[in-house]
Amino acid sequence: MTRVAVFPGSFDPMTNAHLDVARRASGLFDRLVIGVLNNPKKRPLFDIDERVALIRDCVADLGSHVAVEAFDGLTVEFARHRGAGFIVRGLRAVSDFEAELQMALTNRKLAPEVDTTFLMTALEYGYVSSSLAKEVAQFGGDVSAMLPAPVAKALAERLSDGPRV
Ligand code: PNS
């Protein structure tokens, strides 16, 4: 039996916490599809193609069983279309739990055949979030511990283009 999982998120941009979850999930599943949500309601710092390209760069060493794709609509439909029986999400702290529980229960109602699995974020990345990394970078702080090197570089370049955060 082939175990396929999707790892959905906004990834604006991918952090070391996301990458840690992707790396560990890649060891648990036969195929892992990282799904980057194209949400027209949000105005991301990186557009959908940039986010997909950055993640591909970051996960290049994880193996050919890891794919990165943009998606829109429901995560469970994305999972179904990819033949995935699992959704992977990272949990950092108790504060993540409530929203994640609500999402997992909603997704189970919509697609009972798709199970949500949680990986606890590594201790050293428990504080890391995309939005905080963007804020720190915006004010000139060092984000090298929070972001993979290609992402930190892309963020510095984007912020030097002018204020968009
Ligand atoms: O990185 P994020 O912003 O925490 O990811 C949230 C995401 C993309 C997983 C969630 O917003 C989502 O699944 N959106 C797609 C729409 C959907 O399926 N909504 C119902 C799930 S409760």
Side-chain angles (χ1 to χ4, degrees):
M1 184 174 131
T2 306
R3 290 186 182 273
V4 182
V6 293
F7 175 20
S10 306
F11 301 110
D12 184 41
M14 175 172 250
T15 66
N16 278 333
H18 292 132
L19 185 54
D20 170 63
V21 169
R23 175 168 285 118
R24 285 188 291 135
S26 75
L28 293 172
F29 297 99
D30 300 307
R31 183 162 172 75
L32 178 70
V33 185
I34 301 173
V36 187
L37 181 67
N38 189 13
N39 184 349
K41 277 194 248 155
K42 279 194 184 174
R43 207 174 146 262
L45 184 61
F46 292 97
D47 71 27
I48 189 70
D49 293 335
E50 291 171 325
R51 281 178 281 152
V52 167
L54 276 174
I55 299 170
R56 285 198 177 130
D57 197 2
C58 295
V59 302
D61 66 330
L62 298 187
S64 57
H65 68 303
V66 178
V68 187
E69 291 176 18
F71 78 101
D72 46 34
L74 291 175
T75 287
V76 290
E77 290 305 326
F78 176 61
R80 278 176 172 151
H81 286 128
R82 294 293 163 267
F86 303 91
I87 294 169
V88 174
R89 293 284 290 169
L91 272 182
R92 287 166 304 190
V94 181
S95 50
D96 284 342
F97 182 81
E98 211 170 307
E100 292 297 334
L101 176 68
Q102 195 177 23
M103 268 199 276
L105 294 179
T106 305
N107 286 334
R108 183 180 300 165
K109 196 77 186 163
L110 294 169
E113 77 282 12
V114 180
D115 235 321
T116 302
T117 58
F118 293 101
L119 290 177
M120 304 304 297
T121 301
L123 191 60
E124 64 266 43
Y125 304 132
Y127 68 98
V128 175
S129 73
S130 300
S131 46
L132 266 187
K134 285 185 282 191
E135 187 172 309
V136 170
Q138 188 188 9
F139 293 111
D142 178 8
V143 288
S144 57
M146 300 181 208
L147 301 177
V151 177
K153 184 168 172 281
L155 182 56
E157 286 168 5
R158 175 55 42 87
L159 293 175
S160 72
D161 291 346
R164 275 182 60 182
V165 180

